PDB file of all heavy atoms in Angstrom:
ATOM      1  N   ASN G 142      -2.827  28.541  13.969  1.00 98.00           N
ATOM      2  CA  ASN G 142      -4.076  27.772  14.434  1.00 98.00           C
ATOM      3  C   ASN G 142      -5.291  28.458  13.991  1.00 98.00           C
ATOM      4  O   ASN G 142      -5.387  29.581  14.269  1.00 98.00           O
ATOM      5  CB  ASN G 142      -3.982  27.582  15.867  1.00 98.00           C
ATOM      6  CG  ASN G 142      -2.778  26.750  16.381  1.00 98.00           C
ATOM      7  OD1 ASN G 142      -2.372  25.832  15.700  1.00 98.00           O
ATOM      8  ND2 ASN G 142      -2.144  27.199  17.484  1.00 98.00           N
ATOM      9  N   VAL G 143      -6.189  27.560  13.364  1.00 98.00           N
ATOM     10  CA  VAL G 143      -7.528  28.014  12.943  1.00 98.00           C
ATOM     11  C   VAL G 143      -8.435  27.504  14.172  1.00 98.00           C
ATOM     12  O   VAL G 143      -8.573  26.176  14.208  1.00 98.00           O
ATOM     13  CB  VAL G 143      -7.970  27.447  11.602  1.00 98.00           C
ATOM     14  CG1 VAL G 143      -9.416  27.947  11.309  1.00 98.00           C
ATOM     15  CG2 VAL G 143      -6.998  28.024  10.588  1.00 98.00           C
ATOM     16  N   VAL G 144      -8.981  28.329  14.937  1.00 97.00           N
ATOM     17  CA  VAL G 144      -9.604  27.841  16.122  1.00 97.00           C
ATOM     18  C   VAL G 144     -11.162  27.915  15.938  1.00 97.00           C
ATOM     19  O   VAL G 144     -11.692  28.989  15.654  1.00 97.00           O
ATOM     20  CB  VAL G 144      -9.270  28.731  17.411  1.00 97.00           C
ATOM     21  CG1 VAL G 144      -9.917  28.184  18.580  1.00 97.00           C
ATOM     22  CG2 VAL G 144      -7.773  28.839  17.489  1.00 97.00           C
ATOM     23  N   LEU G 145     -11.896  26.861  16.245  1.00 97.00           N
ATOM     24  CA  LEU G 145     -13.346  26.737  16.077  1.00 97.00           C
ATOM     25  C   LEU G 145     -13.869  26.752  17.472  1.00 97.00           C
ATOM     26  O   LEU G 145     -13.460  26.040  18.375  1.00 97.00           O
ATOM     27  CB  LEU G 145     -13.839  25.446  15.386  1.00 97.00           C
ATOM     28  CG  LEU G 145     -13.152  25.077  14.052  1.00 97.00           C
ATOM     29  CD1 LEU G 145     -13.690  23.855  13.447  1.00 97.00           C
ATOM     30  CD2 LEU G 145     -13.316  26.263  13.091  1.00 97.00           C
ATOM     31  N   VAL G 146     -14.915  27.574  17.648  1.00 95.00           N
ATOM     32  CA  VAL G 146     -15.722  27.626  18.928  1.00 95.00           C
ATOM     33  C   VAL G 146     -17.228  27.490  18.515  1.00 95.00           C
ATOM     34  O   VAL G 146     -17.855  28.408  18.375  1.00 95.00           O
ATOM     35  CB  VAL G 146     -15.475  28.835  19.849  1.00 95.00           C
ATOM     36  CG1 VAL G 146     -16.156  28.723  21.136  1.00 95.00           C
ATOM     37  CG2 VAL G 146     -14.048  29.194  19.878  1.00 95.00           C
ATOM     38  N   PRO G 147     -17.685  26.277  18.252  1.00 94.00           N
ATOM     39  CA  PRO G 147     -19.010  26.151  17.861  1.00 94.00           C
ATOM     40  C   PRO G 147     -20.032  26.177  19.024  1.00 94.00           C
ATOM     41  O   PRO G 147     -19.694  25.598  20.073  1.00 94.00           O
ATOM     42  CB  PRO G 147     -19.074  24.667  17.244  1.00 94.00           C
ATOM     43  CG  PRO G 147     -17.593  24.273  17.034  1.00 94.00           C
ATOM     44  CD  PRO G 147     -16.870  25.030  18.151  1.00 94.00           C
ATOM     45  N   TRP G 148     -21.173  26.840  18.789  1.00 93.00           N
ATOM     46  CA  TRP G 148     -22.127  26.955  19.914  1.00 93.00           C
ATOM     47  C   TRP G 148     -23.226  25.856  19.689  1.00 93.00           C
ATOM     48  O   TRP G 148     -23.650  25.679  18.560  1.00 93.00           O
ATOM     49  CB  TRP G 148     -22.823  28.307  19.826  1.00 93.00           C
ATOM     50  CG  TRP G 148     -21.925  29.509  20.164  1.00 93.00           C
ATOM     51  CD1 TRP G 148     -20.635  29.659  19.719  1.00 93.00           C
ATOM     52  CD2 TRP G 148     -22.317  30.677  20.903  1.00 93.00           C
ATOM     53  NE1 TRP G 148     -20.146  30.826  20.237  1.00 93.00           N
ATOM     54  CE2 TRP G 148     -21.104  31.428  20.925  1.00 93.00           C
ATOM     55  CE3 TRP G 148     -23.443  30.977  21.544  1.00 93.00           C
ATOM     56  CZ2 TRP G 148     -21.170  32.713  21.502  1.00 93.00           C
ATOM     57  CZ3 TRP G 148     -23.473  32.282  22.162  1.00 93.00           C
ATOM     58  CH2 TRP G 148     -22.337  33.120  22.201  1.00 93.00           C
ATOM     59  N   PRO G 149     -23.629  25.197  20.716  1.00 93.00           N
ATOM     60  CA  PRO G 149     -24.596  24.070  20.554  1.00 93.00           C
ATOM     61  C   PRO G 149     -25.981  24.773  20.362  1.00 93.00           C
ATOM     62  O   PRO G 149     -26.350  25.831  20.856  1.00 93.00           O
ATOM     63  CB  PRO G 149     -24.552  23.402  21.948  1.00 93.00           C
ATOM     64  CG  PRO G 149     -24.068  24.444  22.924  1.00 93.00           C
ATOM     65  CD  PRO G 149     -23.061  25.350  22.162  1.00 93.00           C
ATOM     66  N   ALA G 150     -26.792  24.036  19.527  1.00 93.00           N
ATOM     67  CA  ALA G 150     -28.200  24.482  19.317  1.00 93.00           C
ATOM     68  C   ALA G 150     -28.925  24.338  20.582  1.00 93.00           C
ATOM     69  O   ALA G 150     -28.619  23.626  21.441  1.00 93.00           O
ATOM     70  CB  ALA G 150     -28.742  23.729  18.115  1.00 93.00           C
ATOM     71  N   ASN G 151     -30.135  25.043  20.675  1.00 90.00           N
ATOM     72  CA  ASN G 151     -30.987  24.904  21.807  1.00 90.00           C
ATOM     73  C   ASN G 151     -31.472  23.488  21.994  1.00 90.00           C
ATOM     74  O   ASN G 151     -31.743  22.845  21.066  1.00 90.00           O
ATOM     75  CB  ASN G 151     -32.135  25.806  21.659  1.00 90.00           C
ATOM     76  CG  ASN G 151     -31.783  27.327  21.783  1.00 90.00           C
ATOM     77  OD1 ASN G 151     -30.756  27.645  22.383  1.00 90.00           O
ATOM     78  ND2 ASN G 151     -32.603  28.139  21.178  1.00 90.00           N
ATOM     79  N   GLU G 152     -31.365  23.090  23.259  1.00 86.00           N
ATOM     80  CA  GLU G 152     -31.840  21.704  23.704  1.00 86.00           C
ATOM     81  C   GLU G 152     -31.062  20.559  23.185  1.00 86.00           C
ATOM     82  O   GLU G 152     -31.443  19.394  23.272  1.00 86.00           O
ATOM     83  CB  GLU G 152     -33.351  21.570  23.450  1.00 86.00           C
ATOM     84  CG  GLU G 152     -34.245  22.655  24.182  1.00 86.00           C
ATOM     85  CD  GLU G 152     -35.653  22.471  23.859  1.00 86.00           C
ATOM     86  OE1 GLU G 152     -35.973  21.546  23.035  1.00 86.00           O
ATOM     87  OE2 GLU G 152     -36.552  23.238  24.359  1.00 86.00           O
ATOM     88  N   ILE G 153     -29.913  20.800  22.550  1.00 89.00           N
ATOM     89  CA  ILE G 153     -29.046  19.687  22.131  1.00 89.00           C
ATOM     90  C   ILE G 153     -28.356  19.153  23.235  1.00 89.00           C
ATOM     91  O   ILE G 153     -27.970  19.804  24.269  1.00 89.00           O
ATOM     92  CB  ILE G 153     -28.036  20.213  20.986  1.00 89.00           C
ATOM     93  CG1 ILE G 153     -27.506  19.018  20.169  1.00 89.00           C
ATOM     94  CG2 ILE G 153     -26.893  21.028  21.695  1.00 89.00           C
ATOM     95  CD1 ILE G 153     -28.426  18.443  19.238  1.00 89.00           C
ATOM     96  N   SER G 154     -28.197  17.778  23.294  1.00 89.00           N
ATOM     97  CA  SER G 154     -27.551  17.124  24.396  1.00 89.00           C
ATOM     98  C   SER G 154     -26.030  17.357  24.324  1.00 89.00           C
ATOM     99  O   SER G 154     -25.553  17.684  23.276  1.00 89.00           O
ATOM    100  CB  SER G 154     -27.856  15.630  24.374  1.00 89.00           C
ATOM    101  OG  SER G 154     -27.171  15.056  23.287  1.00 89.00           O
ATOM    102  N   LEU G 155     -25.354  17.255  25.476  1.00 87.00           N
ATOM    103  CA  LEU G 155     -23.992  17.475  25.566  1.00 87.00           C
ATOM    104  C   LEU G 155     -23.200  16.383  24.607  1.00 87.00           C
ATOM    105  O   LEU G 155     -22.188  16.764  23.991  1.00 87.00           O
ATOM    106  CB  LEU G 155     -23.429  17.453  27.029  1.00 87.00           C
ATOM    107  CG  LEU G 155     -22.010  17.722  27.185  1.00 87.00           C
ATOM    108  CD1 LEU G 155     -21.661  19.110  26.778  1.00 87.00           C
ATOM    109  CD2 LEU G 155     -21.704  17.587  28.744  1.00 87.00           C
ATOM    110  N   HIS G 156     -23.735  15.151  24.694  1.00 87.00           N
ATOM    111  CA  HIS G 156     -23.148  14.178  23.861  1.00 87.00           C
ATOM    112  C   HIS G 156     -23.246  14.519  22.393  1.00 87.00           C
ATOM    113  O   HIS G 156     -22.288  14.466  21.592  1.00 87.00           O
ATOM    114  CB  HIS G 156     -23.815  12.758  24.157  1.00 87.00           C
ATOM    115  CG  HIS G 156     -23.275  12.129  25.391  1.00 87.00           C
ATOM    116  ND1 HIS G 156     -23.783  10.916  25.848  1.00 87.00           N
ATOM    117  CD2 HIS G 156     -22.409  12.483  26.228  1.00 87.00           C
ATOM    118  CE1 HIS G 156     -23.195  10.488  26.895  1.00 87.00           C
ATOM    119  NE2 HIS G 156     -22.267  11.462  27.192  1.00 87.00           N
ATOM    120  N   ASP G 157     -24.470  14.930  21.965  1.00 92.00           N
ATOM    121  CA  ASP G 157     -24.642  15.290  20.571  1.00 92.00           C
ATOM    122  C   ASP G 157     -23.795  16.489  20.055  1.00 92.00           C
ATOM    123  O   ASP G 157     -23.190  16.548  18.988  1.00 92.00           O
ATOM    124  CB  ASP G 157     -26.108  15.494  20.255  1.00 92.00           C
ATOM    125  CG  ASP G 157     -26.900  14.256  20.131  1.00 92.00           C
ATOM    126  OD1 ASP G 157     -26.227  13.135  19.986  1.00 92.00           O
ATOM    127  OD2 ASP G 157     -28.066  14.286  20.220  1.00 92.00           O
ATOM    128  N   TYR G 158     -23.645  17.405  21.085  1.00 92.00           N
ATOM    129  CA  TYR G 158     -22.868  18.603  20.784  1.00 92.00           C
ATOM    130  C   TYR G 158     -21.313  18.225  20.613  1.00 92.00           C
ATOM    131  O   TYR G 158     -20.717  18.625  19.642  1.00 92.00           O
ATOM    132  CB  TYR G 158     -22.963  19.615  21.869  1.00 92.00           C
ATOM    133  CG  TYR G 158     -21.879  20.683  21.787  1.00 92.00           C
ATOM    134  CD1 TYR G 158     -21.902  21.662  20.769  1.00 92.00           C
ATOM    135  CD2 TYR G 158     -20.908  20.730  22.717  1.00 92.00           C
ATOM    136  CE1 TYR G 158     -20.784  22.609  20.605  1.00 92.00           C
ATOM    137  CE2 TYR G 158     -19.819  21.682  22.608  1.00 92.00           C
ATOM    138  CZ  TYR G 158     -19.869  22.633  21.610  1.00 92.00           C
ATOM    139  OH  TYR G 158     -18.841  23.568  21.452  1.00 92.00           O
ATOM    140  N   ARG G 159     -20.884  17.299  21.462  1.00 91.00           N
ATOM    141  CA  ARG G 159     -19.411  16.942  21.387  1.00 91.00           C
ATOM    142  C   ARG G 159     -19.174  16.141  20.117  1.00 91.00           C
ATOM    143  O   ARG G 159     -18.024  16.210  19.536  1.00 91.00           O
ATOM    144  CB  ARG G 159     -19.076  16.149  22.649  1.00 91.00           C
ATOM    145  CG  ARG G 159     -18.953  17.055  23.882  1.00 91.00           C
ATOM    146  CD  ARG G 159     -18.727  16.291  25.116  1.00 91.00           C
ATOM    147  NE  ARG G 159     -18.378  17.208  26.175  1.00 91.00           N
ATOM    148  CZ  ARG G 159     -18.284  17.042  27.450  1.00 91.00           C
ATOM    149  NH1 ARG G 159     -18.581  15.729  27.892  1.00 91.00           N
ATOM    150  NH2 ARG G 159     -17.947  17.899  28.375  1.00 91.00           N
TER     151      ARG G 159
END
Side-chain angles (χ1 to χ4, degrees):
N142 297 320
V143 181
V144 187
L145 307 182
V146 189
W148 295 40
N151 289 335
E152 300 182 356
I153 196 73
S154 72
L155 186 57
H156 279 179
D157 285 343
Y158 167 68
R159 286 171 168 171

